[in-house]
């Protein structure tokens, strides 16, 4: 009997919330009519997306209530209301989920409060009948369980009205995917532009300046060769030094585009080389990732390059900002996903705002997002900092 009373109490709470939502539906109908009238005369077109969002919030609240009662989630399938005003209005009007929510709103206005009015007399009768039936005769409750069944009925109706069709779910997922790809494409374009500017800056400020200086020294050496051979030899020696420095800087630029060590030694070998030159005590652990160009299938070159630059950026940040002495890098292959985890025992507090353009955590996120990967950063104040990256790829 005690369990029956608890379930009946929960059922009445569920039906009471449904009745209150019915009252809110009645008030919201006025908002809908106002939105329709103002939209038809163009003046209130900007209200329509906000009204649709309010409708979605009401439907979302009801989905959560049904999920609490039944234990089954009702997935949402909405077209995102983003972009310009015309795009948001078009999305709100053409989204089938809008009309599905309106249908639920209209029907729920009637059955939401009606079922509560039915349940209340049943509850009162049940307290009298089952009080005697269970209390005196020790039998199982007969009337009170009907209140929970009424709540089950209300939840079943709401769930059926709010459940999206498979076509609507696919359309919503497709639209969401298009929006996501639009954002990642913009990030990839921005990261690519920043990378080109970095290469141009390195070539202009470094290599080009050294080549110009070398050319000037060779020219001066030619002029001084007959009159002052010793000065000419010194100028040629300086020119040779400039040429070697220019070659060194060119190698640095090339490594920034695609490190040759990836081709020669594979991802694990390249990461071990990074660890050795980072200035930290770095432990590298690899599982299921090919480190040499053997018979095993390696990840695509773009994925290896992204993983390499992720590790390089993470170790550079750790060496510069974390104050840590130790770090660890883990590479693993799980199905068609390459996972990278970089951890340092520093002071923490890493933030995406620290990066700009093609550098820092922001640049890392953009590089990974261009390959449809994910980046998770956990860096509480006091440390440790853990950067976890997943890169999907065909192995």
């Amino acid at each position: 009997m005690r369990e029956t009373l608890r379930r009946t109490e929960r059922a009445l709470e569920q039906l009471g919330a449904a009745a209150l939502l019915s009252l809110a539906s009645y008030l919201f109908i006025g908002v809908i009519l106002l939105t329709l009238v103002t939209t038809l005369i163009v003046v209130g077109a900007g209200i329509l997306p906000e009204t649709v969002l309010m409708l979605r919030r009401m439907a979302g609240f009801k989905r959560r209530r049904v999920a609490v009662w039944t234990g089954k989630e009702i997935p949402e399938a909405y077209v995102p209301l983003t972009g310009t005003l015309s795009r948001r209005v078009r999305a709100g009007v053409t989204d089938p989920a809008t009309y599905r929510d309106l249908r639920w709103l209209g029907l729920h206005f009637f059955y939401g409060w009606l079922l509560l009015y039915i349940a209340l007399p049943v509850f009162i009768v049940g307290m009298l009948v089952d009080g005697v039936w269970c209390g005196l005769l020790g039998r199982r409750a007969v009337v009170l369980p009907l209140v929970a069944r009424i709540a089950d009925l209300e939840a079943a109706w709401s769930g059926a009205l709010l459940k999206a069709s498979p076509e609507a779910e696919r359309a919503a997922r497709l639209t969401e995917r298009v929006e996501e790809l639009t954002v990642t494409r913009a990030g990839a374009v921005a990261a690519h532009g920043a990378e080109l500017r970095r290469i141009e800056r390195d070539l202009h400020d470094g290599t080009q300046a050294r080549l110009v200086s070398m050319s000037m020294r060779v020219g001066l050496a030619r002029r001084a060769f007959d009159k002052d051979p010793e000065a000419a030899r010194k100028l040629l020696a300086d020119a040779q030094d400039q040429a070697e420095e220019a070659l060194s800087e060119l190698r640095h630029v090339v490594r920034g585009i695609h490190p040759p060590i990836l081709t020669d030694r594979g991802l694990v070998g390249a990461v071990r080389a990074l660890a050795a030159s980072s200035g930290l005590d770095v432990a590298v652990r690899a599982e299921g990732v090919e480190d040499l160009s053997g018979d095993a299938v390696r990840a695509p070159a773009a994925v290896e390059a992204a993983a390499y630059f992720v590790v390089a950026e993470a170790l550079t940040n750790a060496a510069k900002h974390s104050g840590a002495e130790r770090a660890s890098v883990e590479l693993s292959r799980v199905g068609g996903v390459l996972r990278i985890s970089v951890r340092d025992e520093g002071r923490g507090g890493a933030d995406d705002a620290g990066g700009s353009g093609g550098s820092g955590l922001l640049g890392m996120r953009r590089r990974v997002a261009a390959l449809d990967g994910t980046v998770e950063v956990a860096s509480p104040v006091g440390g440790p900092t853990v950067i976890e990256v997943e890169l999907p790829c065909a192995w």
Side-chain angles (χ1 to χ4, degrees):
M1 181 64 178
R2 185 175 301 173
E3 180 63 28
T4 301
L5 285 174
R6 280 199 294 264
R7 182 166 174 78
T8 302
E9 181 181 354
R10 289 182 58 237
L12 288 174
E13 179 184 351
Q14 181 76 10
L15 292 170
L20 290 175
L21 193 58
S22 294
L23 177 61
S25 302
Y26 175 76
L27 299 175
F28 191 67
I29 289 175
V31 176
I32 294 175
L33 293 176
L34 175 64
T35 301
L36 289 176
V37 172
T38 55
T39 301
L40 288 176
I41 61 177
V42 184
V43 176
I47 304 177
L48 192 142
E50 301 303 322
T51 304
V52 173
L53 287 175
M54 290 176 62
L55 178 62
R56 290 181 179 183
R57 293 189 188 100
M58 292 182 66
F61 172 78
K62 186 59 186 178
R63 287 188 181 91
R64 291 190 294 273
R65 294 295 305 180
V66 172
V68 168
W69 177 253
T70 63
K72 297 180 181 179
E73 297 288 338
I74 303 177
E76 296 182 349
Y78 292 119
V79 175
L81 299 183
T82 57
T84 62
L85 177 59
S86 59
R87 286 186 60 186
R88 287 187 286 128
V89 171
R90 191 182 309 113
V93 172
T94 58
D95 187 4
T98 301
Y99 302 98
R100 182 185 65 234
D101 290 349
L102 285 173
R103 180 184 60 185
W104 161 79
L105 188 73
L107 294 175
H108 187 267
F109 169 68
F110 294 101
Y111 72 78
W113 59 268
L114 181 61
L115 291 178
L116 177 63
Y117 285 170
I118 296 174
L120 287 175
V122 173
F123 172 71
I124 295 173
V125 173
M127 291 296 293
L128 297 175
V129 173
D130 289 337
V132 176
W133 186 252
C134 299
L136 297 181
L137 302 180
R139 303 295 180 85
R140 297 183 62 181
V142 176
V143 181
L144 284 178
L146 295 177
V147 179
R149 292 183 183 179
I150 294 173
D152 289 338
L153 182 63
E154 192 276 335
W157 286 354
S158 297
L161 290 170
L162 291 172
K163 184 179 179 180
S165 64
E167 294 79 9
E169 287 187 10
R170 283 194 294 270
R173 283 197 297 268
L174 178 61
T175 304
E176 185 177 357
R177 181 61 175 160
V178 169
E179 293 285 341
E180 179 183 349
L181 289 177
T182 301
V183 174
T184 56
R185 183 187 64 180
V189 170
H192 179 67
E195 189 72 8
L196 289 179
R197 289 191 296 272
R198 181 190 66 80
I199 294 172
E200 180 185 12
R201 184 174 61 250
D202 290 345
L203 291 175
H204 181 272
D205 297 342
T207 307
Q208 177 178 295
R210 296 193 185 279
L211 289 175
V212 170
S213 178
M214 181 185 68
S215 176
M216 292 176 61
R217 280 173 169 76
V218 171
L220 292 173
R222 288 180 60 187
R223 294 180 183 179
F225 187 78
D226 294 331
K227 298 179 180 179
D228 191 353
E230 187 65 29
R233 279 194 294 270
K234 184 178 180 181
L235 288 170
L236 287 175
D238 290 343
Q240 184 178 9
D241 292 340
Q242 293 287 337
E244 291 175 356
E245 292 177 359
L247 285 173
S248 177
E249 290 182 354
L250 278 175
R251 292 190 190 100
H252 177 74
V253 172
V254 169
R255 284 196 297 270
I257 299 173
H258 184 82
I261 193 173
L262 278 176
T263 304
D264 298 337
R265 299 176 56 183
L267 178 59
V268 177
V271 169
R272 292 189 191 280
L274 279 175
S277 61
S278 68
L280 301 175
D281 181 11
V282 182
V284 179
R285 181 170 173 240
E287 293 183 2
V289 182
E290 179 65 12
D291 59 342
L292 297 174
S293 53
D295 296 332
V297 179
R298 288 172 53 174
V303 174
E304 284 193 345
Y308 176 87
F309 286 117
V310 163
V311 175
E313 182 64 38
L315 292 180
T316 300
N317 288 343
K320 286 184 177 180
H321 308 298
S322 71
E325 297 180 355
R326 295 184 302 276
S328 63
V329 179
E330 292 186 8
L331 304 173
S332 61
R333 167 187 169 183
V334 181
V337 176
L338 174 63
R339 291 182 177 175
I340 306 106
S341 178
V342 183
R343 176 189 176 104
D344 70 70
E345 304 298 331
R347 63 177 63 94
D351 188 2
D352 292 74
S356 60
S359 62
L361 290 175
L362 179 59
M364 183 189 301
R365 288 188 183 278
R366 285 175 170 173
R367 186 184 290 273
V368 172
L371 297 175
D372 208 20
T374 60
V375 179
E376 296 292 337
V377 180
S379 184
V381 176
T385 296
V386 181
I387 299 176
E388 295 184 346
V389 176
E390 290 191 356
L391 291 168
C393 57
W395 293 79

